[in-house]
Amino acid sequence: MSQLSERPVEAVVGLPLPHESAALHVTGEALYTDDLVVRTRDVLHAWPVQSPYAHARIVDLQVKPAYDVPGVVRVLTSDDVPGVNDAGVKHDEPLFPDAEVMFHGHAICWVLGETLEAARLGAEAVQVEYEPLPSLVSVREAIAAGNFQGTGRHLERGDVETALTTAAHVFQGEFEFAGQEHFYLETHVALALVDEGGQIFVQSSSQHPSETQEIVAHVLGVASHAVTVQCLRMGGGFGGKEMQPHGFAAIAALGATLTGRPVRLRLNRTQDVTMSGKRHGFHSQWRAGFDDDGRLVALEATLTADGGWSLDLSEPVLARAMCHIDNAYWIPNVRVDGRIAKTNKTSQTAFRGFGGPQGMLVIENVLGRCAPLLGYDAMELRRRNLYQPGHTTPYGQPVRHAERLEACWSEVVRGGEVERRQAEIEQFNAIHPNTKRGLAMTPVKFGISFNLTAFNQAGALVHVYKDGSVLINHGGTEMGQGLHTKMLQVAATTLGVPLERVRLAPTRTDKVPNTSATAASSGADLNGAAIKNACEQIRERLAQVAGSRLGLHAHDVRFADGMVRGLQGGSLSWDDVVLAAYFQRVQLWAAGFYRTEGLHWDANAMQGEPFKYFAYGVAAAEVEVDGFTGAYTLRRVDIVHDVGDSLSPLIDLGQIEGGFVQGTGWLTLEDLRWDESDGPHRGRLATQAASTYKLPSFSEMPQVFNVHLLDKAHEDGAVYGSKAVGEPPLMLAFSVREALRQAAAAFGPVGTSVDLPSPATPEAVYWALDEARSAAPVPSSFSLSGV
């Protein structure tokens, strides 16, 4: 067992504690970025001038009429940028578009006003002359036009052509599926001010404060040390605040620099939905080969990500999608090509899973469609194709602990009474012609680490004060996921003090520099290890002090529950040891650092070991579908998920439940619709609010929701034996979509293969079951060369 993963007997980690800000959340006392505005004097408010076209040339921009509006103080345009007019890391996202607008809602300039209403009226007064240009709104249009961006990728193992030629059964298909709006409770917001020394301080709802700092500095033409970014907490992020906040923070900072007054920029819901990026929709074409035993022998696929108008994070999203197209299944021969379409839509960005769900959805769709054509129950087909010990991924990484897939599967089958319920569903369907039920099980194998190896590092700063109290700073951000709760538990465990002696400070770039985004599910792994490293430095110094007072060697000193004890007897209080250390001039603070070891990745060859480990899980979902409307009820969900030795079980259970529900929303409810007509509103997002964009609610929650953490799942080499939990549970929701497929197929003859769109909305389910009703009976000897 590694030192990093070794857990003491008396540990604060592993205790089922509530979220550290839970009481503040439910009482409304928790402060968010926009709450700080009322504590700041003379704040100006920003409002954008947005394009009414999906693609157009800016012929003329007249801002003078805005100054005639009472309360308007300044209009920000590209002419005001002292540094680089770009808000992206790929230098393809002008902060202020000079020549062209690239999507409906693109912000051309920003008006600053004494009040939000003054800024809004000022924005309405700005006069813009446009020359509409041809636009590409759908990914299919971009594919037809050959309009791609960024670097395409190729992943290959084995001899795909020979395997497909000799396969007993070969199927092919095409599958396009939608993206997803983040719809975090707190929209994008930044509050910027400049102090008397010219230091720029930005409060930002950002998952990546260091990169926000970097972009603000570039735009203003100053060094990074002249900019400090703080993230107090976020009201949700889900990846949507990893890259997208930078431009908004830069606008606020530019306004504050030019006016000398604080500037607040907060998007309302409509602005946030129409201006910020979403989960990438994908188009896929595939061919799959199976042997006579139902085992996959080959997969060939082309994945096209809808990147929107600029690259943002589309390249690593595509790479992760390609690396996860296998999901939890052994496929000996694989060939996958990936590319990024450039469309006139918002620049699509990170979203929980970061491309992994899109890649995994392709193979789950293949298995769901092909199972009845092969004469197999879909559950059995999936189980017989699961990874086994000794297998490697298509990119060459050994699948360590593959046996946990079978362990999770078996536990769900047993605890979820799957076999009994399957028989009951068969009986129910036989006597209910207009209502059908379906039960599906799907696995998850998700790689944990950033695709870009350099991001797999973290820092922390830990202070111990003379009275024994502890303050920790780290580079991770809190967005409701419970990271800070886990970090408090890690610090308390490592120092051996009660949890109430430890406090955590807001994330700031002047405390811990050069941090990575809180993303890729790695927040606890990276920052927890950095905190542990800092605390161990302090503990080792204190052990010397305590050992000298107890007459023991420092190695024989133990810290637990606020006491410092010797193995041969004797004890001192933590407070006494700390105070003694101070008077002995022993350093009581430490900077911690961690870098994930064992990673190597060739992005061009798409080969290597990019992940520290894999997180596993299995879910079983049961649905009931109304044959007249396609409406459905999620009757029961059973989940077993591998989180290693949990740092904080209640937090992990909440993440599993929340991730599953968010995944269910993506796959069955949330239907992004852009106007693809040739009319005047072409490119406009029609689903701009909760009234038109259906989010999961209590009515979509399963009536029975059982979640269990896999036992005996210690992860060696990770902080206190734990595993990441943020993203993997989202993909467990594949079970809901596949259960809907099973229920829709039950309206047709045995062996019916259902083509189910994604999202599988009630309307989509209705058309699928209607098609199943009209399907011809499938002979037992039936096979296809194409689907």
Side-chain angles (χ1 to χ4, degrees):
M1 184 181 295
S2 69
Q3 182 182 359
L4 180 61
S5 63
E6 187 176 357
R7 182 176 295 195
V9 176
E10 297 179 28
V12 181
V13 293
L15 297 179
L17 303 177
H19 191 286
E20 46 89 22
S21 294
L24 299 178
H25 290 160
V26 299
T27 59
E29 295 178 15
L31 289 177
Y32 294 87
T33 299
D34 204 44
D35 294 320
L36 303 176
V37 173
V38 296
R39 302 181 174 205
T40 309
R41 292 182 57 190
D42 301 324
V43 174
L44 295 176
H45 303 264
W47 192 278
V49 176
Q50 294 181 263
S51 166
Y53 297 100
H55 191 202
R57 184 174 292 110
I58 302 172
V59 177
D60 188 42
L61 174 62
Q62 295 291 333
V63 301
K64 187 176 182 303
Y67 287 99
D68 296 331
V69 176
V72 169
V73 174
R74 185 80 184 232
V75 180
L76 303 178
T77 70
S78 60
D79 293 336
D80 295 312
V81 178
V84 180
N85 181 31
D86 198 279
V89 296
K90 291 291 184 178
H91 308 294
D92 63 344
E93 296 183 44
L95 186 64
F96 300 95
D98 280 323
E100 292 182 18
V101 291
M102 300 299 292
F103 66 96
H104 195 292
H106 201 164
I108 299 162
C109 60
W110 291 77
V111 178
L112 306 182
E114 298 284 358
T115 65
L116 194 61
E117 181 65 6
R120 185 186 70 80
L121 293 174
E124 285 188 358
V126 171
Q127 297 173 3
V128 188
E129 182 182 347
Y130 302 94
E131 179 189 337
L133 298 172
S135 60
L136 300 171
V137 177
S138 73
V139 67
R140 290 178 182 270
E141 291 173 350
I143 292 172
N147 201 43
F148 302 103
Q149 58 183 328
T151 303
R153 295 296 180 195
H154 177 79
L155 170 63
E156 187 164 357
R157 173 176 66 185
D159 187 343
V160 173
E161 284 302 328
T162 299
L164 287 172
T165 301
T166 58
H169 308 278
V170 178
F171 306 96
Q172 64 183 14
E174 186 176 3
F175 181 38
E176 183 179 353
F177 46 95
Q180 185 179 19
E181 166 60 35
H182 299 87
F183 226 102
Y184 23 64
L185 288 175
E186 176 202 35
T187 58
H188 281 288
V189 58
L191 175 64
L193 56 87
V194 181
D195 67 16
E196 73 280 0
Q199 178 79 15
I200 299 120
F201 182 53
V202 183
Q203 301 269 7
S204 176
S205 182
S206 172
Q207 292 177 233
H208 200 173
S210 287
E211 198 165 74
T212 301
Q213 174 194 34
E214 182 179 345
I215 296 298
V216 169
H218 284 176
V219 169
L220 297 182
V222 299
S224 290
H225 71 208
V227 179
T228 298
V229 176
Q230 173 172 293
C231 178
L232 188 60
R233 60 166 58 84
M234 285 169 279
F238 312 120
K241 295 178 180 176
E242 182 175 348
M243 281 284 292
Q244 304 271 309
H246 310 333
F248 302 125
I251 294 290
L254 176 61
T257 301
L258 294 176
T259 64
R261 294 173 58 179
V263 172
R264 169 227 194 191
L265 189 159
R266 183 183 70 83
L267 302 183
N268 63 32
R269 181 61 64 185
T270 300
Q271 290 168 340
D272 196 281
V273 172
T274 58
M275 294 173 68
S276 65
K278 296 139 195 11
R279 184 188 296 280
H280 292 70
F282 269 66
H283 176 275
S284 65
Q285 289 180 300
W286 55 269
R287 285 196 300 160
F290 296 82
D291 64 18
D292 281 327
D293 293 324
R295 288 186 170 83
L296 281 158
V297 295
L299 175 68
E300 178 186 54
T302 298
L303 304 182
T304 306
D306 185 349
W309 76 279
S310 67
L311 273 174
D312 194 272
L313 291 167
S314 294
E315 289 175 317
V317 164
L318 175 66
R320 185 170 278 263
M322 295 170 68
C323 286
H324 283 78
I325 198 169
D326 57 332
N327 189 11
Y329 309 110
W330 163 248
I331 314 172
N333 302 283
V334 177
R335 181 168 63 226
V336 185
D337 288 293
R339 56 192 181 177
I340 303 162
K342 185 171 184 175
T343 56
N344 294 111
K345 291 192 283 200
T346 52
S347 184
Q348 314 313 8
T349 191
F351 198 132
R352 199 176 197 168
F354 201 81
Q358 292 95 314
M360 296 156 75
L361 180 55
V362 173
I363 190 62
E364 292 299 339
N365 189 67
V366 169
L367 295 176
R369 289 209 63 190
C370 293
L373 303 175
L374 290 165
Y376 282 98
D377 174 75
M379 208 176 290
E380 171 58 26
L381 185 67
R382 288 185 166 89
R383 189 171 194 173
R384 66 176 48 207
N385 280 288
L386 290 177
Y387 272 114
Q388 300 298 323
H391 282 160
T392 59
T393 66
Y395 46 89
Q397 177 156 355
V399 183
R400 222 163 32 92
H401 299 314
E403 68 279 359
R404 293 186 186 178
L405 278 168
E406 178 59 38
C408 289
W409 191 284
S410 298
E411 190 171 332
V412 169
V413 169
R414 181 176 60 256
E417 304 174 292
V418 169
E419 293 179 358
R420 176 187 63 78
R421 289 162 57 205
Q422 280 182 307
E424 291 177 354
I425 288 171
E426 187 175 353
Q427 294 173 1
F428 177 90
N429 289 346
I431 60 175
H432 292 84
N434 298 314
T435 306
K436 303 293 182 184
R437 292 177 180 173
L439 173 63
M441 285 179 61
T442 57
V444 164
K445 173 188 68 67
F446 190 80
I448 303 298
S449 287
F450 285 96
N451 286 59
L452 182 63
T453 302
F455 284 168
N456 295 288
Q457 60 174 298
L461 182 63
V462 177
H463 300 310
V464 175
Y465 295 97
K466 286 188 294 182
D467 64 354
S469 62
V470 181
L471 178 68
I472 60 175
N473 297 266
H474 65 90
T477 54
E478 176 63 50
M479 61 198 90
Q481 84 278 36
L483 175 62
H484 285 353
T485 307
K486 290 184 174 183
M487 297 305 94
L488 289 167
Q489 290 180 265
V490 167
T493 297
T494 310
L495 293 174
V497 299
L499 190 65
E500 58 269 18
R501 299 307 307 276
V502 186
R503 189 176 75 83
L504 194 145
T507 308
R508 286 175 61 118
T509 57
D510 60 353
K511 295 294 187 293
V512 181
N514 310 318
T515 58
S516 298
T518 305
S521 300
S522 61
D525 284 1
L526 296 176
N527 295 289
I531 288 172
K532 187 171 186 287
N533 174 252
C535 291
E536 285 172 343
Q537 294 176 49
I538 297 170
R539 191 184 66 197
E540 287 172 8
R541 297 173 198 145
L542 294 178
Q544 296 284 348
V545 174
S548 64
R549 295 190 64 178
L550 292 171
L552 300 170
H553 193 279
H555 291 305
D556 294 330
V557 174
R558 297 294 182 269
F559 295 75
D561 199 27
M563 297 297 294
V564 185
R565 297 181 175 87
L567 291 180
Q568 285 80 40
S571 65
L572 299 165
S573 73
W574 163 266
D575 292 353
D576 287 345
V577 174
V578 168
L579 191 60
Y582 169 75
F583 282 108
Q584 293 179 30
R585 295 182 295 177
V586 173
Q587 183 178 332
L588 290 173
W589 59 269
F593 181 76
Y594 173 75
R595 51 175 283 175
T596 308
E597 300 292 345
L599 305 180
H600 57 92
W601 178 241
D602 185 333
N604 293 320
M606 292 288 287
Q607 291 293 312
E609 297 187 18
F611 305 121
K612 176 68 174 177
Y613 56 81
F614 295 106
Y616 303 107
V618 172
E622 180 182 339
V623 300
E624 182 173 301
V625 173
D626 183 340
F628 294 112
T629 64
Y632 43 83
T633 302
L634 183 53
R635 290 171 48 80
R636 177 172 172 173
V637 171
D638 293 270
I639 292 172
V640 174
H641 197 70
D642 169 21
V643 298
D645 286 339
S646 176
L647 291 177
S648 195
L650 274 183
I651 296 295
D652 286 347
L653 286 173
Q655 284 292 287
I656 293 168
E657 292 172 354
F660 179 87
V661 172
Q662 190 170 53
T664 301
W666 172 48
L667 294 166
T668 68
L669 294 171
E670 301 177 42
D671 196 3
L672 288 169
R673 294 290 182 96
W674 275 271
D675 188 338
E676 298 180 16
S677 73
D678 293 326
H681 300 299
R682 177 172 170 81
R684 176 182 178 272
L685 181 62
T687 49
Q688 298 185 7
S691 58
T692 51
Y693 184 76
K694 180 70 177 82
L695 295 163
S697 62
F698 284 115
S699 61
E700 281 79 38
M701 291 287 287
Q703 297 169 359
V704 178
F705 200 176
N706 300 316
V707 179
H708 297 282
L709 306 181
L710 182 67
D711 292 329
K712 300 177 182 177
H714 179 89
E715 183 62 32
D716 198 30
V719 60
Y720 288 127
S722 64
K723 273 188 174 183
V725 73
E727 293 170 299
L730 183 136
M731 285 73 83
L732 294 169
F734 292 142
S735 59
V736 179
R737 182 171 180 272
E738 291 304 309
L740 290 171
R741 189 197 303 274
Q742 299 278 27
F747 285 92
V750 175
T752 298
S753 175
V754 170
D755 182 11
L756 189 63
S758 186
T761 61
E763 179 184 14
V765 171
Y766 173 78
W767 291 117
L769 68 86
D770 189 59
E771 184 179 349
R773 282 186 179 126
S774 60
V778 180
S780 59
S781 60
F782 182 75
S783 66
L784 282 180
S785 60
V787 175

